[in-house]
Amino acid sequence: MVVFPNAKINLGLRIKYKRPDGYHEIESCFYPVALRDILEVLEVEPGHEVFRTSGIEVPSSPEENLVMKAYKIIKEKYHLPPLHIHLHKTIPMGAGLGGGSSDAAFALKLLNDMFSLGISNEQLFEYASLLGSDCAFFILNRPAIATGRGEILNPVSLDLSGYYITIIKPVAEVSTSWAYRSLTPVSQTYAPSDIIDRRVSEWKDMLVNDFEQVIFEKHPEIKALKERLYYYGADYASLTGSGSAVYGLFSKDPGVLMAEDHYFIWQRKL
């Protein structure tokens, strides 16, 4: 069985305060995009279980991979036969695009469907929330306002179809833990939920990712990529998540944007 875990972008990301449990209270709008990994699961004979990756190199061990952690959660609760699991990575890591969380959520859904386990969406949400703060988003995989750690989701009717998106990721990777440690939450006038109903062309000076203040200071080359997207005519451009990727939304086809060979660049009509 094969599924295609997709990425997401953050439309604004407000870091409100650090909670007593050590996590940060956030507000963001998560929006799915069609940049996808490939996840294949096959039933095999005993003794032939294996987990393999291809595409973009995955530096973690199989035990640390979120797909295998998702598999372990299901395996501990349901009888599963031996499996061959192959993950082909296309979504860049350390980019703020949610690729690892998506892989894990799609693994949960795939195993549920493949073996007719009858797990409800509510239970899948619970399992996904054990794996990562934004993992639960990919269970329903629809635009949503995310609060709490990112696991509390309120679906919204936002539709960006018709816009063109360009995602650029430089070589630099940004540690999520470093980004949170370095950031001092600041009071903002606007929350993402206040803004996304406005025209995209109005978002520029209102819909803010708080991580830009610390990430752009440490990585001015990432700030320059955001500025380049506006130069090419983006209606809105932003850092996504706490990673190093930036994206631009264009009301008109921007054409093929040139990027240095060491950049990852992906363009598509939404």
Side-chain angles (χ1 to χ4, degrees):
M1 189 171 186
V2 178
V3 292
F4 300 90
N6 59 274
K8 69 162 178 63
I9 56 173
N10 290 72
L11 303 173
L13 178 51
R14 183 181 183 184
I15 311 302
K16 301 170 76 172
Y17 55 85
K18 189 171 184 178
R19 306 179 342 178
D21 61 6
Y23 291 99
H24 286 76
E25 187 76 15
I26 74 160
E27 182 177 333
S28 182
C29 180
F30 293 167
Y31 195 91
V33 295
L35 172 59
R36 297 183 177 101
D37 289 339
I38 305 171
L39 178 63
E40 180 183 40
V41 176
L42 302 172
E43 189 173 342
V44 294
E45 296 295 325
H48 291 79
E49 302 93 332
V50 69
F51 173 68
R52 291 179 178 168
T53 63
S54 59
I56 297 173
E57 182 179 358
V58 178
S60 61
S61 67
E63 293 76 18
E64 296 172 319
N65 191 278
L66 287 176
V67 168
M68 293 304 291
K69 290 182 177 181
Y71 166 65
K72 183 177 179 181
I73 286 175
I74 301 299
K75 185 178 180 181
E76 287 179 348
K77 300 179 181 298
Y78 301 88
H79 177 70
L80 295 181
L83 299 176
H84 173 111
I85 301 174
H86 181 194
L87 174 64
H88 181 80
K89 286 296 296 177
T90 299
I91 303 171
M93 291 171 287
L97 293 165
S101 295
S102 182
D103 295 337
F106 273 75
L108 293 172
K109 294 190 290 184
L110 182 154
L111 294 171
N112 187 33
D113 293 342
M114 185 173 180
F115 297 105
S116 302
L117 301 178
I119 306 172
S120 67
N121 281 338
E122 290 75 15
Q123 187 63 64
L124 289 172
F125 274 119
E126 183 176 328
Y127 294 155
S129 295
L130 297 173
L131 297 167
S133 295
D134 60 354
C135 194
F137 167 74
F138 295 99
I139 298 300
L140 294 182
N141 209 23
R142 297 200 298 259
I145 295 294
T147 55
R149 295 183 292 116
E151 85 286 9
I152 301 172
L153 301 165
N154 182 26
V156 293
S157 59
L158 179 64
D159 182 5
L160 296 177
S161 60
Y163 278 87
Y164 297 82
I165 185 170
T166 296
I167 296 174
I168 307 177
K169 182 197 176 295
V171 171
E173 294 187 5
V174 176
S175 163
T176 297
S177 59
W178 169 84
Y180 273 105
R181 288 196 309 271
S182 304
L183 180 69
T184 301
V186 295
S187 176
Q188 293 185 1
T189 304
Y190 301 106
S193 56
D194 298 327
I195 303 167
I196 59 167
D197 287 337
R198 296 173 178 260
R199 293 190 299 270
V200 174
S201 59
E202 298 180 37
W203 291 358
K204 181 176 180 179
D205 297 318
M206 302 173 68
L207 192 60
V208 176
N209 183 330
D210 284 352
F211 282 115
E212 289 186 356
Q213 62 177 292
V214 293
I215 292 174
F216 286 176
E217 181 177 354
K218 184 175 182 179
H219 298 283
E221 72 276 17
I222 301 177
K223 180 180 180 181
L225 289 176
K226 176 182 173 180
E227 293 170 347
R228 180 187 298 185
L229 290 166
Y230 276 124
Y231 173 80
Y232 281 111
D235 289 54
Y236 177 72
S238 177
L239 187 78
T240 186
S242 60
S244 58
V246 295
Y247 66 89
L249 299 175
F250 298 79
S251 56
K252 299 179 181 178
D253 186 351
V256 177
L257 304 191
M258 300 302 294
E260 287 78 358
D261 290 341
H262 55 282
Y263 288 176
F264 169 92
I265 185 167
W266 182 82
Q267 296 180 272
R268 186 70 58 88
K269 188 175 184 180
L270 291 172

